[in-house]
């Protein structure tokens, strides 16, 4: 997912004229420019980034946890392992890619790192809800 996010952030919609202006992008999103000329990810990119990581991944993992709970692969002592598996699915992405891109210390890599960090801000805000929901569902499934 981090590689897909980097690709989405680096190939954002067309840039707009002037700081703070917006223009329609190739994918229908809105690009926003900062005062220093760098482009922020579109609203569509932010929503897609958050939905994929915080909704789609748990939607796949939680049914898998339920199936694994019923299977003979895990006994009742392994519920904690399944709980950790479920909780990890609802957590936001790690920021390791941002650190690695910043360590390269070149213009393009730092611009991509900024865009990804911008996406992570929203993901971490929405993760409060997703982690709470995934925790509740996982505890109901396993205990």
């Amino acid at each position: 997912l981090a590689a897909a996010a980097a690709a989405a952030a680096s190939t954002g919609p067309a840039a707009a004229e002037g700081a703070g202006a917006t223009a329609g992008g190739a994918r229908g999103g809105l690009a926003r420019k900062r005062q220093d000329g760098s482009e922020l990810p579109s609203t569509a990119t932010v929503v897609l980034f958050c939905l994929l990581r915080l909704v789609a991944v748990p939607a796949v993992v939680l049914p898998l946890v339920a199936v694994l709970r019923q299977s003979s692969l895990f006994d009742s002592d392994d519920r904690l392992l399944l709980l950790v598996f479920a909780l990890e699915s609802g957590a936001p992405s790690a920021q390791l890619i941002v650190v690695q891109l910043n360590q390269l210390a070149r213009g393009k890599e730092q611009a991509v790192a900024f865009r990804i960090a911008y996406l992570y801000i929203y993901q971490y805000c929405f993760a409060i809800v997703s982690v709470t929901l995934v925790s509740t569902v996982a505890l109901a499934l396993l205990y």
Side-chain angles (χ1 to χ4, degrees), residues 6-99:
S10 65
T11 59
E17 296 292 326
T22 60
R27 292 176 296 173
L30 296 177
R32 297 175 301 264
K33 278 190 128 181
R34 296 178 56 212
Q35 289 179 346
D36 65 359
S38 61
E39 191 176 301
L40 297 175
S42 68
T43 304
T45 303
V46 172
V47 170
L48 183 64
F49 185 77
C50 292
L51 284 178
L52 283 175
R53 181 65 184 108
L54 300 176
V55 176
V57 173
V60 170
V61 171
L62 287 174
L64 180 62
V65 166
V67 168
L68 289 174
R69 173 77 170 103
Q70 299 300 323
S71 73
S72 60
L73 294 174
F74 295 94
D75 57 15
S76 62
D77 294 335
D78 292 331
R79 289 186 294 182
L80 183 59
L81 176 67
L82 291 173
L83 179 63
V84 170
F85 184 53
L87 291 176
E88 286 293 324
S89 74
S93 302
Q95 295 188 25
L96 183 61
I97 191 168
V98 174
V99 172

